[in-house]
Amino acid sequence: MDATHFADRFTTTLRHLRGVDLHSASDVDLRTALAHTVRAELIDTWQTTHGNPSTTPQRHVAYLSAEYLLGTQTRNALLATELTDTAREALASLGLSLDDITSREVEPGLGNGGLGRLAACFMDSLATLEIPATGYGIRYDYGIFRQTFQDGNQHEQPDTWLAHGSPWEISHPERAVTVHLGGHVDGDNTTRRWVPERHVLAIPCDYLVPGYKSHTVNLLRLWSARATDAFDLTIFNSGDYEKAVAARTYAETISHVLYPEDSTPQGRTLRLTQQYFFAAASLHDLLTRHLKAGRSLHTLPDAVTIQLNDTHPVIAIPELMRLLLDEHGLSWDDAWHITQQTFNYTCHTLLPEALEVWPLDILGPLLPRHLEIIFAINHHFLDDLRRSGADELRVRSMSLIQEHPVRAVRMAHLATVGSRTVNGVAELHSELLRTSVLAQFASYWPDRFTNVTNGVTPRRFLALANPELASLISDTLNVGDRWLKDLDLLRGLEDHVDDPAFIAAFREVKHNNKERLARTLANRDGIELNTNAMLDVMVKRLHEYKRQSLRILHVITQYAKMKNGLIDLATVTPRTVFFGAKAAPGYRLAKETISLINAVATTLNADDEIRPYLSIAFPANYNVTLAETAIPAADLSEQISLAGKEASGTGNMKFALNGALTIGTLDGANVEIRELVGPDNFFLFGMTEPDVVQRQRDGYHPHTVYEQSADLALAIDTISSGAFSPSEPGRYESLVSDWLWNDRFMALADYEDYARCQEAVDRHYANPDQWTRSAILNVARTGFFSSDRSIRDYQTRVWQRPTK
Ligand code: BZD
């Protein structure tokens, strides 16, 4: 398509779809028409992909995830279809700017953080690698809340991403699937029949996922809940109109809002309803397609492989059993064989409180037949276990049912028992799964466990987010943009690490990215960014284990020392410390940490003497769109979780690929990043995971650490003195007392080593040649972290592994 053709289609779409001409078009009209013009291209490709089913006998991949943190769509679709320049030229010929139009696009924030963003990167790679796949999830009316700060405190506003409709969505109400809920189970010992009480409709809302320069467009199918006509029939018949309308509303609340808790799942009926709602609708879709193709259910595991993104969709396991047993009349053994060979489970955590359990008194009333099936699965499993010689202690700890503090289903155990493979998301994490969290399962079924280290898509996080670096790479490697599909080619940059022209160009790109971020922050947040300072970035969900507290304590020490004349300002490497973080709305300590960071920012940034040397930028509402501007501008990437707590991290990979150096612990994928970039190009500090275990065993007393570290005490005492809360000196007492007397994630224990390591960062940065060399080597050596590599690993280790 040439620019004239594009312009023509665009103006036609504007007229036919929006009923306006160029002169009367609003921002929304322009954005919508542009999206539809590009979408039409994708649909044509999609129809050719699906009209010609793959001739290679590979399984169809179904990715089940309660979250997809997609980011904006238009620029990505243009990149994938190689229409960016055409669109730019076409719009310019109409007096419009592509960048203006796309810069106002609203991102669908249908996820909390890393897990949801990983799902989005994987969808991109599946299509790019031309693997037939469908992503299934929930079309929340409200995604992750919009964060605002009022007096430095986090407030949550509803995310109205659908206010002007979603031009990328194709919804099919006529293809609705009915999902059943509640009721009871009838029948005798041999035939059981679920008699549900309520029914809701699941409407498929499809998003096309284009592969980069590929012939494949896959589908992301998100389910939206609607009331059925029959839903409230009994109530209507009873004449209670108001109650009947209320019942409809109930049905529609199912897909209303994304739960914003990412680490402490709260046992809420609505959350379980969401999980079952999308699991059941997705399985219905998969089975219908399988049967329509004239295939037997016994061949399901050869045709389809289902990846469970954490335990959120794990209720799909008993649902498939129910369908096979109750609806299709298969025997238990056949049904179990098919089920267990179809599912795979990815675990994303190590924190015990993040492992989902569903109390029987929530699960039973909502899904009575599923609870029976779970008990039956458990019965068979525990029998096998006993036969293998396990004692009762072991049987109890491996059971799918926990007895205390309340009887509940352990979803991670159900997932492990019901899957062909179980994987962690980085080498260290998979190892810890095998040796601690799921150790008993790993020794029972050693072959079931594997690792797939996470990855990120270079299309969004290099080509779109960092176009200047992308074109420098293309010019330097002389392979066009082939490297975007074969990220190991970045290795070729090592040959240029001593080339003065390349070094200068690389440095200029970083500086330009800082200028771009500065413009964004000025417009978006009214924040002024010093583009001549080192940009030190910590962006991620706010959580104690990630230790934003460690970062802010160190900033406070530096500030206090500068104020007290303990640091000669003339020797200081100027830094801006950038934070982006949302806290779960009910997570008190996390919200206090946000308040503290904002208070310190206010003090530092108002101090004319200090500001040129040390300042804080903390824009509210960090999201994928802001990440795309912040990451390419970063010099230093803060990955400072307590060792053994961050499953992988994926921000860490995005920073390294964009030429930031990492200061980090030996946690998650940091371990692999450091191995690849080399110890000289990575700032390592802190306890190792075994150190942490030992220190806990020995008895950890943070107050003693405080007494022994003058710098740490200076930071904490400065907070307690009210330096950042003059009208209320005790404002941060809850944080201070938690550090001194609890400090579950041992920020204090790692403080001294962290401070030492930050000095090494300053020295390295003070030598620009040395720093740039390290930054280039980070880019050159981190091609491994492409999500294309992760997906290939899933193909060989999980999805295309022969069935039993
Ligand atoms: O998953 C994250 C881990 O914390 C990261 O270490 C890892 O890199 C990514 C991807 O594997 N986990 C989450 O993001 N988890 C959630 O968002 C979540 C959401 C709802 C409920 C529980 C957890």
Side-chain angles (χ1 to χ4, degrees), residues 528-689:
E528 198 185 317
L529 186 79
N530 174 1
T531 55
N532 294 315
M534 180 205 304
L535 187 64
D536 169 338
V537 183
M538 181 160 192
V539 286
K540 50 188 78 250
R541 282 296 287 250
L542 209 137
H543 200 290
E544 290 160 88
Y545 83 80
K546 295 180 187 278
R547 303 198 296 190
Q548 279 90 356
S549 55
L550 180 56
R551 183 73 207 91
I552 197 67
L553 281 170
H554 180 253
V555 169
I556 295 168
T557 304
Q558 295 298 99
Y559 167 70
K561 282 183 162 177
M562 289 179 194
K563 287 308 274 182
N564 299 345
L566 299 173
I567 291 178
D568 177 4
L569 288 179
T571 67
V572 168
T573 307
R575 285 203 201 200
T576 297
V577 182
F578 183 112
F579 289 94
K582 290 180 183 178
Y587 190 170
R588 202 180 39 83
L589 275 183
K591 286 186 137 178
E592 285 299 276
T593 308
I594 286 179
S595 169
L596 174 64
I597 296 170
N598 275 321
V600 177
T602 304
T603 308
L604 260 66
N605 299 348
D607 189 324
D608 294 339
E609 178 196 14
I610 303 300
R611 192 179 52 245
Y613 303 98
L614 184 60
S615 59
I616 294 179
F618 188 2
N621 202 41
Y622 175 69
N623 57 11
V624 176
T625 305
L626 184 56
E628 288 170 19
T629 320
I631 293 171
D635 295 304
L636 185 67
S637 157
E638 299 272 350
Q639 308 300 337
I640 62 179
S641 52
L642 177 63
K645 302 298 175 195
E646 187 70 271
S648 162
T650 43
N652 47 2
M653 302 168 184
K654 296 165 197 164
F655 281 104
L657 274 167
N658 279 279
L661 275 61
T662 304
I663 179 166
T665 49
L666 279 183
D667 201 14
N670 295 354
V671 177
E672 290 156 78
I673 293 177
R674 179 167 177 271
E675 261 161 30
L676 282 163
V677 304
D680 296 344
N681 307 301
F682 185 107
F683 300 99
L684 177 68
F685 77 97
M687 293 178 282
T688 62
E689 192 274 337

Side-chain angles (χ1 to χ4, degrees), residues 3-4 7 22 87-96:
T4 320
L22 258 188
R88 178 166 281 124
E89 191 186 327
L91 292 169
S93 75
L94 303 170
L96 297 167

Side-chain angles (χ1 to χ4, degrees), residues 67 112-115 118 261-262 271 312 348 425 454 545 646-650:
E67 305 191 1
N112 273 283
L115 172 148
L118 185 77
E261 285 80 27
D262 68 337
R271 167 93 174 152
H312 317 145
H348 295 264
V425 290
N454 283 167
Y545 83 80
E646 187 70 271
S648 162
T650 43

Side-chain angles (χ1 to χ4, degrees), residues 375-420:
F375 274 121
I377 297 172
N378 200 33
H379 185 80
H380 282 89
F381 166 56
L382 297 184
D383 271 358
D384 288 350
L385 205 56
R386 288 195 182 96
R387 266 197 296 277
S388 79
D391 60 21
E392 277 313 293
L393 203 67
R394 193 174 170 90
V395 167
R396 223 173 304 148
S397 67
M398 291 176 78
S399 172
L400 306 189
I401 309 294
Q402 92 178 8
E403 300 294 331
H404 301 289
V406 291
R407 294 196 82 203
V409 181
R410 295 163 164 154
M411 299 308 272
H413 291 200
L414 176 57
T416 304
V417 172
S419 293
R420 201 154 64 99

